[in-house]
Amino acid sequence: QVQLVESGGGLVQAGGSLRLSCTASGRTFSRYTMGWFRQAPGKERELVAAINWIGNTYYGNSVKGRFTILRDFAKNTLYLQMNSLKPEDTAVYLCAAGDPRAVVATTASEYAHWGQGTQVTVSS
C-alpha cells in the first residue's frame, strides 16, 4: 500500500504561481505512474498532469505551457509547478498513483491510490 500526502496549496492572485508537493510512503515510489487531478465544486475530476516511471508526461489542454509535473525519486516526491494561474484553476488538487505502464494513464479509474487533496484558490 502507498500513502500520499499533498501540500503547497493556498490562495494566490491570478497570474501568480504555486508549487504543489506530494510525498509518497509505504512502497517503492519509483515504478508508479503518478498524476495530479483536480476537482472543482459541481465538476468532474479532471486529470491535470501525469508522469510515468520512464518520464513520459501528459498535460491537460487547459494547463499546457503553464504547469509542469516533476518527480524526485530520491525524495519519493511528486511536484506540480503551476505558473500563470487563472481563477478557473481553482479546485482541490489530488495526487494519485497507478500501476507502472509505458503509456501514461489518463483516467481516474487507472489510479489505485489517492491523497486527501490540497485546496488551490486563485483570485481575480
Side-chain angles (χ1 to χ4, degrees):
Q1 187 73 10
V2 61
Q3 291 81 42
L4 304 172
V5 179
E6 303 96 336
S7 61
L11 174 64
V12 64
Q13 288 187 334
S17 298
L18 281 175
R19 188 178 77 162
L20 305 183
S21 300
C22 170
T23 301
S25 62
R27 291 187 68 178
T28 302
F29 166 76
S30 61
R31 302 284 292 191
Y32 283 99
T33 293
M34 301 296 298
W36 286 101
F37 288 78
R38 67 186 180 187
Q39 189 160 21
K43 294 187 177 181
E44 292 187 357
R45 190 167 293 186
E46 170 192 19
L47 177 62
V48 175
I51 184 168
N52 69 1
W53 64 281
I54 54 176
N56 295 331
T57 58
Y58 167 90
Y59 291 95
N61 287 333
S62 62
V63 306
K64 283 181 181 177
R66 301 189 297 123
F67 291 11
T68 303
I69 189 169
L70 302 163
R71 63 193 301 173
D72 186 329
F73 292 102
K75 296 182 178 179
N76 275 8
T77 301
L78 179 74
Y79 301 100
L80 184 68
Q81 178 66 44
M82 306 186 294
N83 298 328
S84 302
L85 282 161
K86 303 176 181 180
E88 50 264 44
D89 294 319
T90 295
V92 174
Y93 283 71
L94 303 107
C95 174
D99 290 336
R101 297 180 181 178
V103 177
V104 178
T106 59
T107 61
S109 62
E110 297 175 277
Y111 291 82
H113 309 283
W114 293 84
Q116 293 298 309
T118 185
Q119 176 71 45
V120 172
T121 303
V122 184
S123 64
S124 57

